Amino acid sequence: MEQTIVNTNVIQGKEIRAQRNSSVELLRIFAACAVVVLHYNGMGGALAASKGITHELLLMLECLSVCAVDLFIMISGYFLCVTQKRTLDKPVYLLLLLWVINIIVYFIKSYVTGGGINPITIAHIIIPPANYFVVLYLAIYIVSPYINIVLDKLSDKGRTYMVIVLLLLFSVYPTLIDSYQLVMHHEFMGISPVGAWGQQHGYTIVGFSLCYVLGAWLRLNSFKWLKQNWRIICLIAIAIAGIYLWYKVEEYTVLGGASKLIEYNALSYSNPLVLLLTFLLLSLSLNIHFKSSFVNILAKSTFVCYILHLSVVPFLRAGDFAARGGLAFWLHLVLSVLAIYIVSWIVWLVLDWLLRPIVKRLKNISLISQYE
């Protein structure tokens, strides 16, 4: 997920080069940690086990963290929209990281539990990649040059109209439809433009493409109203409050009936408020300029953190700590997130040292040679 931009003649015939902004790298680190928080709350059971003020504060944190996945894609859209270079080394590197980590975790679990090694399980880990984010991200990485061509052909106003149409079709309408289904405690198959089963919590190629376009729109168009940080911070607070209130309404609705739809649309990655929150956070980050080699190198492990934490969170006893609440719980949450990220960084250092020489030869192999 590198953000250094090479010279390109694609966008309006201009050569564009972006300097590495450590504030964006810090935003990547935040996104990785936010993903850990989401699974700490969900997979770990913290949100369900918490009560009273602890539950409400944890829910507010959930409403902030829900933008994590969208942030990764939107940041990629911001930087990839001005370059058509797509080489084989990046997808191979990410897949190797995914496979090696999954296999290592599998062997460790087998050793700890005393279970045997099952070749079929190992094959399932490798083929196909057992991670939706990786599959969808690589799909966006490959097809994004074609999206860039469309964006390049449009004027600023044309891009804005395009974004409005995409938001209405693939964010606002599907989210309202899914929320209606939640209220009615019934699933109406086939009425969403995203898929037969609705927007699937935003985890689709449609949702990821929308995030990419929004990131590119932020890069290619001028937004004078986003230059004042105090205004962005106020809007961020409003967006989080909106997501929180939306969740509470859906929570009340679900408790009022026997709904089988367990995914709250307030926390969907395609929810317009979640997209707005993501857009604002990226805008705020871009307004803050600083350089830090420490932050830059620390941010390189975000992908490893995204993969590795899934194997760690279930063992954190998050639900037990959340049920007790108090300072001990919040310390457990913070220390768990920090420990997972630090371990992920160490794992990345080792795996990057091992895998980088393997994929280095693929850097000059273009995935797609023709774009027009």
Side-chain angles (χ1 to χ4, degrees):
M1 303 179 184
E2 296 178 2
Q3 62 167 285
T4 303
I5 304 303
V6 297
N7 287 339
T8 177
N9 295 319
V10 175
I11 305 299
Q12 299 176 354
K14 298 179 181 178
E15 289 188 348
I16 301 176
R17 180 181 296 274
Q19 299 297 323
R20 182 177 292 273
N21 185 354
S22 294
S23 67
V24 178
E25 298 302 311
L26 193 60
L27 188 64
R28 292 185 199 272
I29 296 173
F30 163 78
C33 293
V35 171
V36 178
V37 170
L38 290 176
H39 288 128
Y40 182 96
N41 285 346
M43 184 187 301
L47 190 60
S50 60
K51 300 176 182 178
I53 187 63
T54 300
H55 177 78
E56 300 307 320
L57 291 176
L58 204 56
L59 178 57
M60 291 293 289
L61 183 60
E62 179 92 351
C63 293
L64 170 62
S65 302
V66 72
C67 67
V69 172
D70 288 351
L71 269 175
F72 282 120
I73 306 302
M74 205 171 290
I75 291 172
S76 295
Y78 182 88
F79 290 105
L80 289 178
C81 72
V82 292
T83 175
Q84 299 294 73
K85 186 178 180 181
R86 304 291 185 274
T87 52
L88 186 59
D89 62 314
K90 184 167 187 175
V92 171
Y93 179 73
L94 295 182
L95 289 175
L96 285 175
L97 280 176
L98 173 64
W99 292 334
V100 171
I101 290 173
N102 283 348
I103 291 174
I104 291 175
V105 169
Y106 172 71
F107 277 104
I108 292 175
K109 286 183 178 179
S110 298
Y111 175 78
V112 172
T113 60
I117 304 299
N118 188 337
I120 296 178
T121 303
I122 296 177
H124 287 170
I125 291 174
I126 299 176
I127 306 173
N131 191 295
Y132 292 135
F133 175 82
V134 177
V135 175
L136 293 177
Y137 178 80
L138 292 181
I140 287 294
Y141 179 75
I142 293 171
V143 304
S144 57
Y146 300 106
I147 299 176
N148 292 350
I149 291 174
V150 175
L151 295 171
D152 181 38
K153 299 297 182 181
L154 295 172
S155 64
D156 286 2
K157 183 179 293 187
R159 279 190 291 268
T160 299
Y161 286 154
M162 175 183 174
V163 167
I164 292 173
V165 171
L166 293 178
L167 284 173
L168 290 175
L169 282 177
F170 301 122
S171 175
V172 177
Y173 173 70
T175 302
L176 292 177
I177 287 296
D178 285 356
S179 294
Y180 176 72
Q181 293 178 132
L182 193 66
V183 171
M184 298 301 294
H185 311 295
H186 181 74
E187 188 171 10
F188 301 94
M189 186 180 297
I191 61 175
S192 172
V194 176
W197 292 274
Q199 61 177 342
Q200 300 173 53
H201 208 60
Y203 236 124
T204 65
I205 190 64
V206 175
F208 276 38
S209 298
L210 179 55
C211 285
Y212 181 94
V213 170
L214 287 171
W217 184 48
L218 180 60
R219 176 68 179 270
L220 301 175
N221 283 35
S222 177
F223 298 90
K224 294 181 179 179
W225 61 278
L226 289 175
K227 300 302 180 182
Q228 296 178 311
N229 290 341
W230 67 268
R231 180 178 295 174
I232 297 177
I233 293 173
C234 289
L235 291 173
I236 288 173
I238 292 173
I240 294 173
I243 296 169
Y244 173 84
L245 291 175
W246 193 325
Y247 181 97
K248 298 304 288 186
V249 169
E250 290 186 333
E251 184 180 48
Y252 175 80
T253 304
V254 171
L255 291 175
S259 176
K260 296 181 180 179
L261 306 176
I262 60 174
E263 295 285 3
Y264 291 153
N265 296 295
L267 301 177
S268 167
Y269 300 141
S270 291
N271 184 317
L273 289 180
V274 175
L275 291 173
L276 174 62
L277 174 61
T278 309
F279 190 82
L280 292 170
L281 286 172
L282 179 54
S283 301
L284 180 63
S285 177
L286 292 167
N287 287 348
I288 303 171
H289 300 277
F290 75 94
K291 294 182 180 180
S292 169
S293 57
F294 174 75
V295 171
N296 293 346
I297 192 68
L298 197 62
K300 290 182 178 293
S301 62
T302 53
F303 182 75
V304 173
C305 179
Y306 191 92
I307 300 171
L308 190 61
H309 83 280
L310 294 170
S311 301
V312 179
V313 168
F315 300 97
L316 295 177
R317 297 175 55 202
D320 294 340
F321 279 89
R324 292 195 293 267
L327 181 60
F329 163 68
W330 293 106
L331 285 175
H332 182 265
L333 170 59
V334 172
L335 292 177
S336 296
V337 173
L338 290 177
I340 289 174
Y341 197 89
I342 292 171
V343 170
S344 298
W345 185 74
I346 295 173
V347 171
W348 169 80
L349 281 177
V350 176
L351 293 183
D352 186 71
W353 178 75
L354 292 172
L355 299 177
R356 187 66 66 179
I358 299 175
V359 301
K360 189 176 181 180
R361 299 175 181 272
L362 305 176
K363 196 169 186 178
N364 295 323
I365 301 178
S366 178
L367 285 173
I368 304 174
S369 58
Q370 298 293 327
Y371 296 97
E372 296 186 73

